Amino acid sequence: MLIQIDFNSDEAIYIQLRNQIILGIATSRIQEGEALPSVRQLAENIGINMHTVNKAYAVLKQEGFVSIDRRRGAVVSIEADKRQALQEMKDELMVVLAKGCCKNISRQEVHELIDQIFQEYQV
């Protein structure tokens, strides 16, 4: 699993890690049922604190992307609550689209960008 962390970013490292794992799942680089590296192993590989990895895994569990198994650790396990996922997506998109509107980004440009991104996730 290839994780890229930008240590100069203003975004918290645990959020970057969370986002990288979600992107891995969406692009099928990480599969449903696959065990993620142990907290210790991933922390050592990336060069970050174990508590940071633990926090990222906890957020992923809370958001329904992983389950925690005593023997296997964090395992990709996507919950199927589509209604809740759509509401969460709507809440996040409202802010992202508002930012775009403030920067005069058109509806057409947004649709093209979404189509471009979705093509990356098609299996």
Side-chain angles (χ1 to χ4, degrees):
M1 175 170 48
L2 179 64
I3 300 289
Q4 298 174 338
I5 300 298
D6 180 359
F7 292 99
N8 296 317
S9 174
D10 290 336
E11 187 170 51
I13 293 174
Y14 81 96
I15 294 295
Q16 290 184 54
L17 180 55
R18 166 200 168 258
N19 292 346
Q20 289 286 308
I21 292 170
I22 291 171
L23 287 169
I25 295 167
T27 57
S28 299
R29 290 190 323 263
I30 304 172
Q31 301 291 319
E32 172 103 24
E34 185 176 334
L36 298 176
S38 72
V39 169
R40 181 184 307 273
Q41 181 184 20
L42 190 54
E44 287 176 6
N45 289 349
I46 299 174
I48 61 177
N49 190 294
M50 286 180 11
H51 295 292
T52 303
V53 176
N54 204 32
K55 188 170 184 177
Y57 281 7
V59 171
L60 287 164
K61 179 182 180 208
Q62 178 184 5
E63 294 176 343
F65 290 99
V66 300
S67 60
I68 306 297
D69 180 287
R70 280 188 167 284
R71 286 178 262 138
R72 295 183 64 203
V75 178
V76 176
S77 174
I78 303 164
E79 293 180 2
D81 189 351
K82 187 174 182 177
R83 195 173 312 140
Q84 179 182 351
L86 283 169
Q87 183 60 49
E88 290 171 2
M89 184 181 287
K90 178 182 177 184
D91 295 344
E92 292 175 25
L93 276 172
M94 287 180 70
V95 174
V96 171
L97 292 175
K99 287 179 181 179
C101 286
C102 291
K103 300 291 184 176
N104 296 318
I105 296 173
S106 71
R107 177 187 293 248
Q108 175 72 26
E109 290 169 314
V110 170
H111 282 263
E112 289 171 3
L113 183 59
I114 289 172
D115 288 342
Q116 176 187 350
I117 293 169
F118 243 92
Q119 285 178 341
E120 295 176 23
Y121 303 143
Q122 299 301 316
V123 185

